[in-house]
Amino acid sequence: MNELRVALAQTNSTVGDLTGNAAKILHYMEKAKALGADLVAFPELALTGYPPEDLLLKPQFVAESKATLHKLVKATQGITAIIGFVDSDTDIYNAAAIASNGSLAGVYHKIYLPNYGVFDEDRYFKAGNECPVFTVGDSRIGVNICEDIWHALGPITLQKDAGAQVIININGSPYDSGKLSFRERFLATRARDNEIYVCYLNLIGGQDELVFDGASMIFDPQGTLIARGKQFEEDLIIADLDMRSLLRHRLHNPLRRKGRVAEPAIAARATTLEVSAPRPESRPPLSPKHVDPLGPDAEVYAALVLGTHDYVRKTGFDRVLIGLSGGIDSSLVAAVAADALGPESVVGIAMPSRYNAPESLADAQLLATNLGIEFHSIPIEDIFKASLGTLDQLFAGTEPNVAEENLQARIRGNILMALSNKFGWLVLTTGNKSEMAMGYATLYGDMAGGFAVIKDVPKTLVYQLSAYRNSIDGREAIPATVMEKPPTAELRPNQKDEDSLPPYPVLDPVLKAYVEEDRSFDEMLRMGFDETVVKQVISGVDRNEYKRRQAPPGVKITPRAFGRDRRFPIINGFKAF
Amino acid sequence: MNELRVALAQTNSTVGDLTGNAAKILHYMEKAKALGADLVAFPELALTGYPPEDLLLKPQFVAESKATLHKLVKATQGITAIIGFVDSDTDIYNAAAIASNGSLAGVYHKIYLPNYGVFDEDRYFKAGNECPVFTVGDSRIGVNICEDIWHALGPITLQKDAGAQVIININGSPYDSGKLSFRERFLATRARDNEIYVCYLNLIGGQDELVFDGASMIFDPQGTLIARGKQFEEDLIIADLDMRSLLRHRLHNPLRRKGRVAEPAIAARATTLEVSAPRPESRPPLSPKHVDPLGPDAEVYAALVLGTHDYVRKTGFDRVLIGLSGGIDSSLVAAVAADALGPESVVGIAMPSRYNAPESLADAQLLATNLGIEFHSIPIEDIFKASLGTLDQLFAGTEPNVAEENLQARIRGNILMALSNKFGWLVLTTGNKSEMAMGYATLYGDMAGGFAVIKDVPKTLVYQLSAYRNSIDGREAIPATVMEKPPTAELRPNQKDEDSLPPYPVLDPVLKAYVEEDRSFDEMLRMGFDETVVKQVISGVDRNEYKRRQAPPGVKITPRAFGRDRRFPIINGFKAF
């Protein structure tokens, strides 16, 4: 027995739903057994969902989660399972249970707790300080969790020294564009540096602002990728790891026995534990699983679709409602929603005003037809007139300004919310990241809704994704006229976005430098950006934190999203120029 | 020279405003010099404001903050100053500079970084590992920061061993009711346990959701409180600390030289540094400052006033706008705003509908008259009619429900925001904590606005605070009729809060158990609460996280507020019963 059949169950948990998550774990455990796997692994906190946030401060939640784990342990007859859960003694731990043949062989506690970006793990967990290695048949397995493997001198060094041949690294690693190739690069290096099999398992699914992309991977001890799972879909990645070839590889490695200068960075103890699951008598042959990664636009689009699907379904909504302006943002959101939920679950509402071009309504209608979604037009003129009349006395003697413009956006917000309240539909908002950054959106107006699908998508990427969407089913979903007309909010005669903002191809790179990279004023000038634009960006972004604080959540797709990922004070006297 | 004259400058910084904060530090430094102080201390992160959040991730901000510190160091001619700032080398630190006579004597780096409740310090700072003791004349002074002194075996033990006679502990400690007496109790114990003067300095002011209450305190080595500063106001607390009596006290202490069993909990190094400021030739005599603490209602009221004042003024608004329903919540908010900003800065707007009792308008008007604020009435009937007409076709065949109710609340939100956009006034919202908890509020309706003054005040406390406010200037501000009538949203005929919610005196204790204390279902039953109410509370609180996520910030006054203090997932499948 020089072969270990490993199954990585890349599942979609729901935060807090212990019963549902346990059922899913059982389901995949049976599937792995049927495929003759020696070992099946589940993602980080698969049992509680990730991240459970302040649910972790409820002793009741922690106790029930642990009780559920013990039921799962009993179900591991004939297999070894690694299950992410919350362990507790006098404190709580982000943990992996190693269970086999109905009993618990051991527990690993995560050592490196991320506390940056969207992560708050120091807030909740105590760090572990043991690095057990488990003997499964003839194979020796080290288990660790997520950030643990990012550290070259972390648990992997101790586990390797204690004889591990295979590392199972379970993750709750949120998606952003570009992260996949980064992961692949450093995991390959870890495998090769330690002459070890690296099994990287990541969950999938949407949780509030986050979407997890899966794409689990297995690397051989030379750092070669030997299996990869789907992105944004549940999957079972299964491979046979050959321990004999591992030994051959190690014996032929000229770097062997040179030792190392650096000590492991952690004060942790390595132990070895026997695991008892019998090997299956016979098992089906296996062809290794290798899913090619999506292209860049397809990847972001899939992230939006899954994030939207899971937010809507996991919060229990049947249908969604979208205000369709005939512009590209709402068109893309409608396409994402139709792809995520099915066109029958999407209702588009146009709300024309005196300032809307007739083409806008026609474009909205055509889009709805193309997507096959329900469509209604509700003109706002009567309410707008009544509102102006009501405010007439107090507004007397003032010039029309943003007040009259926002009034229209808020009447639309009110109509959508009335339909939401009447029929129980969730409103999706349509603002993009460029607008959110600059505050070019109306609070309680177009910002009103439960989920902001493209709030982390810069406007230039909105165009790219729309073109991508139009390319996939062979016929235009988003009308060409929508793609081509200049962006406008249509809240006053002849208004264009470019009256208030730099052209998006100019704006977006500056926003990226300021928001995602925290570049200083001087640095941005040195990067060659126009000084006026840079100043406009800094002021716009800083001044509008209060609006973003009241925005609905939406899918994070960039390395730094607004929301929990970027925590700025509203009261902020810092002058960046 | 056996006496050290210590001045604690309890200042109000603005996050990010390095120039303004530095000017304030200079101002109080000069004041302390004029009073003959040997040493003046400033609060935790006094230079940057607390908490600077992700501003700390901007290298530009860190660099400018350090450059500003060096200007302040030069200004310490003739005095020793302790200044909270952000230090940096290859990482950043929550730091205290000890500067004297124009040069920097040393820097202390905070060792214990809080990362719970409203705190995220692990996200930003590297922890220090040195505990310097500074010799100022004949006195030996240990400086540490905020949570450092909460740990009995923390820096204070090392600093005492290294000869410290005085601990200067600088804080950014946010207010909640009841915290003051807790602080007093443990600080007295620390002083007595270590036979040391403890000077506890806390900042004041509002920052987004937080308000800092000052109430700085000095304890002698027997644990006796010898000076206390004002709550919620800037103050300079000054006292002469007598080192000769400290020595006498230590020599007479029977516990002396018994040593200890426990080692300090930290791996830190104690050092001693000389500080060079000359003693003032002569100085004015001093009568110790001792401000009595406010009563419980006065304290919360003062917290709301300061929090509101600072949010409005630090974000640069001149006037605020409040929707006055004639109910107690909006009445209290108007009273707080008038006290915080002056009545001339407050505009009250009644927006009567077909469902409002005529008494509601009269009560709102009387309140405005009592407070001396500008008042307008804007009936919403025309807009409501136009809205129902517009929705008529889509609503055909449905029963009136929450949709028609919320429509009215959102029309009011729209009117207030239109006035806000037209005149540049900030809208204050009026929802209380009981409503926020149960979701008994309309998103984009009565929840629309920039600052939610009483969002952390339970309804029963709203009554108490209103009674308190009426008691202080000898004549009724909030009309008796407002205090007495049953709470109602007046969004349908004869609606009462009690149709939807348990009576507030029943509801509030259950909310406290669930929201603030994370009690389980079983525990709450054992506490004697009614099962139906407990279930209603758990469902109501859990289901409405999405609303709270879009609520404006407001002053935290309880040990656990909604917002950054309680971080719950929106997608949450946990069933607590």
Side-chain angles (χ1 to χ4, degrees):
Chain A
M1 173 174 170
N2 291 111
E3 210 177 65
L4 182 79
R5 183 163 288 190
V6 167
L8 307 179
Q10 168 178 302
T11 52
N12 186 345
S13 295
T14 297
V15 164
D17 182 11
L18 300 171
T19 315
N21 297 339
K24 182 159 281 183
I25 289 169
L26 278 179
H27 170 76
Y28 276 93
M29 206 187 287
E30 293 311 314
K31 234 170 142 170
K33 283 182 198 174
L35 291 165
D38 296 302
L39 184 151
V40 59
F42 296 91
E44 181 175 14
L45 297 186
L47 184 51
T48 59
Y50 188 91
E53 301 190 74
D54 277 14
L55 279 173
L56 291 168
L57 304 182
K58 290 187 180 293
Q60 183 189 0
F61 179 73
V62 172
E64 289 183 20
S65 137
K66 213 169 154 180
T68 311
L69 187 265
H70 285 293
K71 284 186 209 155
L72 290 175
V73 168
K74 294 215 179 76
T76 59
Q77 296 299 337
I79 198 164
T80 298
I82 295 167
I83 303 169
F85 80 111
V86 177
D87 197 19
S88 60
D89 46 32
T90 58
D91 211 317
I92 61 170
Y93 306 88
N94 183 339
I98 295 82
S100 194
N101 226 15
S103 62
L104 187 66
V107 173
Y108 175 83
H109 292 161
K110 186 174 185 176
I111 294 176
Y112 288 99
L113 301 169
N115 204 72
Y116 50 81
V118 301
F119 301 107
D120 282 301
E121 292 198 21
D122 274 340
R123 179 179 172 90
Y124 303 107
F125 297 116
K126 187 171 173 181
N129 62 0
E130 293 204 27
C131 292
V133 170
F134 297 89
T135 304
V136 178
D138 295 337
S139 309
R140 294 158 78 89
I141 294 169
V143 174
N144 58 45
I145 305 179
C146 202
E147 195 188 299
D148 286 334
I149 205 169
W150 292 59
H151 297 266
L153 300 179
I156 196 171
T157 55
L158 289 171
Q159 289 168 331
K160 200 242 166 140
D161 285 356
Q165 297 158 306
V166 178
I167 295 293
I168 309 278
N169 171 249
I170 63 173
N171 291 264
S173 177
Y175 169 74
D176 67 58
S177 61
K179 207 170 183 181
L180 185 65
S181 65
F182 171 73
R183 285 185 200 134
E184 185 172 334
R185 211 164 55 225
F186 91 82
L187 290 168
T189 307
R190 289 284 175 279
R192 193 183 169 94
D193 281 352
N194 293 282
E195 302 173 293
I196 208 161
Y197 282 102
V198 168
C199 303
Y200 170 93
L201 167 58
N202 191 21
L203 58 86
I204 73 131
Q207 172 63 26
D208 292 357
E209 295 181 334
L210 304 180
V211 65
F212 300 91
D213 55 335
S216 302
M217 294 179 271
I218 301 178
F219 297 85
D220 75 13
Q222 287 162 291
T224 309
L225 183 67
I226 57 174
R228 168 151 50 199
K230 293 177 188 161
Q231 287 167 283
F232 307 105
E233 288 180 53
E234 289 198 339
D235 201 359
L236 191 69
I237 300 93
I238 185 160
D240 290 329
L241 311 186
D242 177 359
M243 299 304 145
R244 196 177 337 225
S245 78
L246 170 61
L247 181 61
R248 191 182 58 242
H249 173 70
R250 285 186 176 181
L251 293 174
H252 284 83
N253 184 347
L255 302 179
R256 186 169 66 99
R257 297 208 189 108
K258 293 290 193 297
R260 60 163 172 256
V261 175
E263 285 301 305
I266 51 168
R269 204 163 60 96
T271 52
T272 306
L273 295 164
E274 287 288 329
V275 163
S276 57
R279 180 117 194 244
E281 292 289 310
S282 70
R283 49 191 180 190
L286 197 67
S287 55
K289 168 144 210 150
H290 206 106
V291 179
D292 281 332
L294 301 168
D297 291 337
E299 184 184 283
V300 173
Y301 194 85
L304 299 178
V305 166
L306 178 59
T308 302
H309 175 274
D310 276 13
Y311 191 88
V312 174
R313 295 300 182 220
K314 289 180 178 179
T315 55
F317 283 90
D318 285 333
R319 298 188 89 191
V320 297
L321 194 59
I322 304 167
L324 297 181
S325 68
I328 194 156
D329 295 320
S330 56
S331 299
L332 177 62
V333 169
V336 168
D339 291 344
L341 310 164
E344 67 288 354
S345 292
V346 183
V347 182
I349 307 282
M351 293 168 284
S353 79
R354 58 177 82 168
Y355 301 125
N356 284 109
E359 295 78 24
S360 301
L361 181 59
D363 283 341
Q365 190 137 29
L366 178 57
L367 172 87
T369 307
N370 290 355
L371 295 175
I373 64 175
E374 185 177 330
F375 177 79
H376 303 277
S377 172
I378 307 181
I380 66 165
E381 183 61 22
D382 289 353
I383 309 178
F384 187 41
K385 251 194 214 141
S387 302
L388 291 175
T390 298
L391 289 161
D392 195 40
Q393 214 179 324
L394 274 162
F395 278 14
T398 68
E399 289 297 307
N401 71 348
V402 70
E404 286 82 359
E405 295 180 27
N406 284 342
L407 203 45
Q408 299 161 62
R410 292 195 183 105
I411 289 167
R412 293 188 175 114
N414 202 345
I415 289 172
L416 292 178
M417 290 306 297
L419 294 170
S420 169
N421 288 155
K422 181 59 81 180
F423 301 110
W425 302 335
L426 182 76
V427 177
L428 300 181
T429 68
T430 61
N432 60 60
K433 189 175 195 176
S434 313
E435 291 173 358
M436 287 297 105
M438 299 298 286
Y440 197 70
T442 303
L443 197 52
Y444 324 128
D446 52 310
M447 288 177 67
F451 196 66
V453 175
I454 57 170
K455 76 183 276 198
D456 198 34
V457 181
K459 184 78 170 191
T460 45
L461 185 54
V462 168
Y463 280 97
Q464 258 175 255
L465 295 179
S466 300
Y468 162 75
R469 176 61 180 78
N470 275 356
S471 75
I472 52 177
D473 65 354
R475 67 192 182 86
E476 192 175 272
I478 299 171
T481 44
V482 172
M483 306 281 291
E484 284 152 17
K485 65 186 162 190
T488 164
E490 295 193 311
L491 295 172
R492 61 171 187 262
N494 303 314
Q495 186 178 31
K496 297 281 171 289
D497 289 12
E498 289 195 10
D499 304 340
S500 310
L501 298 176
Y504 290 108
V506 174
L507 176 63
D508 281 354
V510 185
L511 282 173
K512 184 176 156 71
Y514 189 61
V515 172
E516 293 182 27
E517 298 167 4
D518 271 329
R519 301 279 182 183
S520 70
F521 177 67
D522 289 341
E523 274 179 297
M524 289 190 277
L525 296 190
R526 282 200 300 275
M527 289 166 83
F529 297 132
D530 176 75
E531 182 170 335
T532 314
V533 174
V534 169
K535 285 183 173 171
Q536 194 182 354
V537 162
I538 292 175
S539 308
V541 171
D542 288 0
R543 204 177 46 231
N544 286 293
E545 183 58 30
Y546 77 99
K547 278 193 190 177
R548 291 187 293 266
R549 200 66 71 89
Q550 294 190 41
V555 191
K556 169 183 157 76
I557 61 128
T558 68
R560 199 156 183 223
F562 295 118
R564 62 185 294 151
D565 202 4
R566 186 179 183 274
R567 305 181 189 176
F568 261 77
I570 299 177
I571 298 177
N572 175 6
F574 182 54
K575 304 275 175 292
F577 61 88
Chain B
M1 172 170 169
N2 292 111
E3 210 176 66
L4 182 79
R5 183 163 288 189
V6 166
L8 307 179
Q10 169 180 300
T11 52
N12 186 346
S13 296
T14 297
V15 164
D17 182 9
L18 301 171
T19 315
N21 297 339
K24 181 159 281 183
I25 289 170
L26 277 179
H27 170 78
Y28 276 93
M29 206 187 287
E30 292 311 314
K31 231 170 146 171
K33 284 182 196 173
L35 291 164
D38 296 303
L39 183 151
V40 60
F42 295 90
E44 182 175 13
L45 297 187
L47 183 51
T48 58
Y50 188 91
E53 301 188 73
D54 278 12
L55 277 174
L56 291 168
L57 304 182
K58 288 186 182 291
Q60 182 189 2
F61 179 73
V62 172
E64 290 185 19
S65 137
K66 212 170 155 183
T68 310
L69 187 268
H70 285 292
K71 285 186 207 155
L72 290 175
V73 168
K74 293 216 178 75
T76 58
Q77 296 299 337
I79 199 165
T80 298
I82 296 167
I83 303 168
F85 80 111
V86 177
D87 197 18
S88 60
D89 45 31
T90 58
D91 211 316
I92 61 170
Y93 305 88
N94 183 337
I98 295 83
S100 194
N101 226 16
S103 62
L104 187 66
V107 172
Y108 174 83
H109 293 160
K110 187 174 184 175
I111 293 175
Y112 288 100
L113 300 170
N115 204 72
Y116 50 82
V118 301
F119 301 107
D120 283 300
E121 292 197 21
D122 274 340
R123 179 178 172 89
Y124 303 107
F125 297 116
K126 187 170 174 184
N129 61 0
E130 292 205 27
C131 293
V133 169
F134 297 89
T135 304
V136 178
D138 294 340
S139 310
R140 292 157 78 90
I141 294 169
V143 174
N144 59 46
I145 305 179
C146 202
E147 195 186 300
D148 286 335
I149 204 168
W150 291 60
H151 297 267
L153 300 179
I156 195 170
T157 54
L158 288 172
Q159 289 168 329
K160 200 259 167 122
D161 285 356
Q165 297 158 306
V166 178
I167 295 292
I168 309 278
N169 171 247
I170 64 173
N171 290 263
S173 177
Y175 170 75
D176 67 58
S177 61
K179 207 171 185 183
L180 186 64
S181 66
F182 171 73
R183 284 184 200 136
E184 185 172 333
R185 212 164 55 224
F186 92 82
L187 290 168
T189 306
R190 287 286 175 277
R192 194 184 170 95
D193 282 352
N194 293 283
E195 302 173 293
I196 208 161
Y197 282 101
V198 168
C199 302
Y200 170 92
L201 167 59
N202 190 21
L203 58 87
I204 72 133
Q207 173 63 26
D208 292 357
E209 294 181 333
L210 304 179
V211 65
F212 299 91
D213 55 336
S216 302
M217 293 179 272
I218 301 178
F219 297 85
D220 75 12
Q222 288 162 289
T224 309
L225 182 67
I226 58 172
R228 169 152 47 201
K230 292 176 187 164
Q231 288 167 282
F232 306 105
E233 289 180 52
E234 290 199 337
D235 202 359
L236 190 70
I237 299 93
I238 184 159
D240 290 328
L241 311 186
D242 177 1
M243 299 303 146
R244 194 175 341 222
S245 79
L246 170 61
L247 182 60
R248 191 181 60 242
H249 172 70
R250 286 187 175 180
L251 293 175
H252 284 84
N253 184 346
L255 302 179
R256 186 168 66 97
R257 298 208 188 106
K258 293 293 194 295
R260 59 164 174 256
V261 176
E263 285 302 305
I266 52 168
R269 204 162 61 95
T271 51
T272 307
L273 296 164
E274 287 288 328
V275 163
S276 58
R279 180 121 195 241
E281 292 289 309
S282 71
R283 49 191 182 191
L286 196 68
S287 55
K289 166 141 214 155
H290 205 106
V291 180
D292 281 333
L294 301 167
D297 291 337
E299 185 184 282
V300 173
Y301 194 84
L304 299 178
V305 166
L306 178 59
T308 303
H309 174 275
D310 276 13
Y311 191 87
V312 175
R313 295 302 183 219
K314 289 179 178 180
T315 55
F317 284 91
D318 284 332
R319 298 188 89 190
V320 297
L321 194 58
I322 304 167
L324 296 180
S325 68
I328 195 156
D329 295 320
S330 56
S331 299
L332 178 62
V333 169
V336 168
D339 291 345
L341 310 165
E344 67 287 355
S345 293
V346 183
V347 181
I349 308 282
M351 291 168 285
S353 79
R354 59 178 82 169
Y355 301 124
N356 284 111
E359 295 78 24
S360 300
L361 180 59
D363 283 341
Q365 188 138 28
L366 178 57
L367 172 87
T369 306
N370 289 354
L371 295 175
I373 64 173
E374 186 177 329
F375 177 78
H376 303 277
S377 172
I378 306 181
I380 67 165
E381 184 60 23
D382 289 352
I383 308 178
F384 187 41
K385 251 193 215 142
S387 302
L388 291 176
T390 298
L391 289 162
D392 196 39
Q393 212 179 325
L394 273 162
F395 278 15
T398 68
E399 288 297 307
N401 72 348
V402 70
E404 286 82 0
E405 296 181 27
N406 284 341
L407 204 45
Q408 300 160 62
R410 293 195 181 106
I411 288 166
R412 293 189 175 111
N414 203 346
I415 289 172
L416 292 178
M417 290 308 296
L419 293 169
S420 169
N421 287 155
K422 181 58 81 178
F423 300 111
W425 302 336
L426 182 77
V427 177
L428 299 181
T429 69
T430 61
N432 60 61
K433 188 175 195 174
S434 314
E435 290 173 0
M436 286 299 104
M438 298 299 286
Y440 196 69
T442 303
L443 197 52
Y444 325 127
D446 51 311
M447 286 177 68
F451 196 66
V453 176
I454 58 171
K455 78 183 273 198
D456 198 36
V457 181
K459 184 77 170 192
T460 46
L461 185 54
V462 168
Y463 280 97
Q464 258 174 255
L465 295 179
S466 300
Y468 162 76
R469 176 61 179 77
N470 275 356
S471 75
I472 51 176
D473 66 355
R475 68 195 180 82
E476 193 175 272
I478 298 170
T481 44
V482 172
M483 306 282 288
E484 285 152 17
K485 64 186 163 191
T488 165
E490 295 192 311
L491 295 171
R492 61 171 187 260
N494 303 315
Q495 187 179 30
K496 298 281 171 287
D497 289 12
E498 289 194 11
D499 304 339
S500 309
L501 298 176
Y504 290 108
V506 173
L507 175 64
D508 281 353
V510 185
L511 282 174
K512 184 176 156 71
Y514 189 61
V515 173
E516 293 181 29
E517 299 167 4
D518 271 328
R519 301 280 183 183
S520 71
F521 177 67
D522 289 341
E523 272 179 297
M524 288 191 278
L525 296 190
R526 283 200 300 275
M527 289 166 84
F529 297 131
D530 177 77
E531 183 171 333
T532 315
V533 174
V534 169
K535 285 183 173 170
Q536 194 180 355
V537 161
I538 292 175
S539 310
V541 170
D542 288 359
R543 203 178 44 232
N544 285 291
E545 183 59 30
Y546 78 99
K547 279 193 190 178
R548 291 187 294 266
R549 200 66 71 87
Q550 295 191 42
V555 191
K556 167 182 158 76
I557 61 127
T558 68
R560 200 157 182 221
F562 295 118
R564 62 185 291 152
D565 201 5
R566 185 178 183 274
R567 304 180 190 176
F568 262 76
I570 299 177
I571 298 177
N572 174 6
F574 182 55
K575 303 276 175 291
F577 61 87

